[in-house]
Amino acid sequence: MKQLLRLCQQEEKKLSQLGRQRGEAQQRIEAITQQQHNLNRMLHEYQQHTPKIANSLLLQNSTNLQLALRPMQARLTRQEILLQQEHRRVDGLWRQQLGRQQGIKWLYQKRKQDKIELNNRQEQKQLDDLASRARTNRSQSDES
């Protein structure tokens, strides 16, 4: 019984650890998404202002900045894809662990309840035996 309790506790620790990893992966995805959003907004602003720029130096600077931001955008997209894959992997592991942990916890609770019921039956049997002996002793003393 103690081994099953220890196993249940170990499985809960694993589940907690995977839950933290899952949450961290989700936070990283959200951070990348926010970075992408900011980068896209910057690109959009530069693209909107480029036709309005009369100065050739400013136009060149705007174009150069757009060219510098595009590889960053591609890197963020790749990072997001990798993080989403990692999140799905960890989420799958977390779900498996949740099922395992719940199964072991159920088994532990079932065994615990079975032991309580067995103890109750044994206690009731002892009480019944004592009551039976007391009746037998009373009826024998009444006969004497």
Side-chain angles (χ1 to χ4, degrees), residues 1 109-125:
M1 189 73 155
Q109 294 295 338
K110 174 86 170 91
R111 294 243 174 107
K112 186 177 171 182
Q113 186 62 38
D114 289 350
K115 186 173 183 168
I116 290 170
E117 289 173 5
L118 177 64
N119 288 342
N120 288 343
R121 283 194 305 270
Q122 288 174 340
E123 189 176 309
Q124 186 62 47
K125 185 179 182 320

Side-chain angles (χ1 to χ4, degrees), residues 51-97:
K52 298 175 187 170
I53 298 175
N55 186 331
S56 64
L57 183 60
L58 290 176
L59 182 61
Q60 183 63 38
N61 285 345
S62 178
T63 304
N64 288 342
L65 193 54
Q66 288 179 47
L67 291 173
L69 293 177
R70 296 230 183 265
M72 293 169 86
Q73 189 179 34
R75 257 193 318 275
L76 285 175
T77 301
R78 278 193 304 276
Q79 282 180 338
E80 182 182 28
I81 290 168
L82 291 173
L83 285 172
Q84 286 174 344
Q85 289 172 345
E86 176 65 10
H87 183 264
R88 280 192 297 274
R89 184 187 74 78
V90 171
D91 185 60
L93 291 172
W94 181 83
R95 289 174 189 276
Q96 286 176 342
Q97 185 63 29

Side-chain angles (χ1 to χ4, degrees), residues 2-52:
K2 287 182 182 180
Q3 291 174 337
L4 193 55
L5 176 60
R6 205 170 315 126
L7 180 61
C8 190
Q9 291 168 343
Q10 288 172 347
E11 296 302 318
E12 285 176 1
K13 284 180 187 177
K14 288 178 188 176
L15 183 64
S16 175
Q17 194 174 40
L18 285 169
R20 277 193 303 276
Q21 288 176 0
R22 183 175 169 230
E24 290 167 0
Q26 182 62 40
Q27 287 175 346
R28 288 192 308 267
I29 289 171
E30 289 169 6
I32 293 286
T33 302
Q34 184 61 42
Q35 289 174 6
Q36 280 184 311
H37 175 72
N38 292 340
L39 193 60
N40 288 338
R41 194 177 70 236
M42 285 174 58
L43 276 168
H44 181 72
E45 286 175 16
Y46 282 114
Q47 288 169 348
Q48 293 293 3
H49 295 301
T50 300
K52 298 175 187 170

Side-chain angles (χ1 to χ4, degrees), residues 103-143:
I104 291 171
K105 188 174 183 177
W106 176 86
L107 180 61
Y108 171 74
Q109 294 295 338
K110 174 86 170 91
R111 294 243 174 107
K112 186 177 171 182
Q113 186 62 38
D114 289 350
K115 186 173 183 168
I116 290 170
E117 289 173 5
L118 177 64
N119 288 342
N120 288 343
R121 283 194 305 270
Q122 288 174 340
E123 189 176 309
Q124 186 62 47
K125 185 179 182 320
Q126 288 174 349
L127 291 173
D128 291 347
D129 288 347
L130 284 173
S132 175
R133 281 190 216 134
R135 275 192 300 258
T136 304
N137 288 343
R138 246 186 273 137
S139 64
Q140 286 176 354
S141 64
D142 288 345
E143 289 176 5

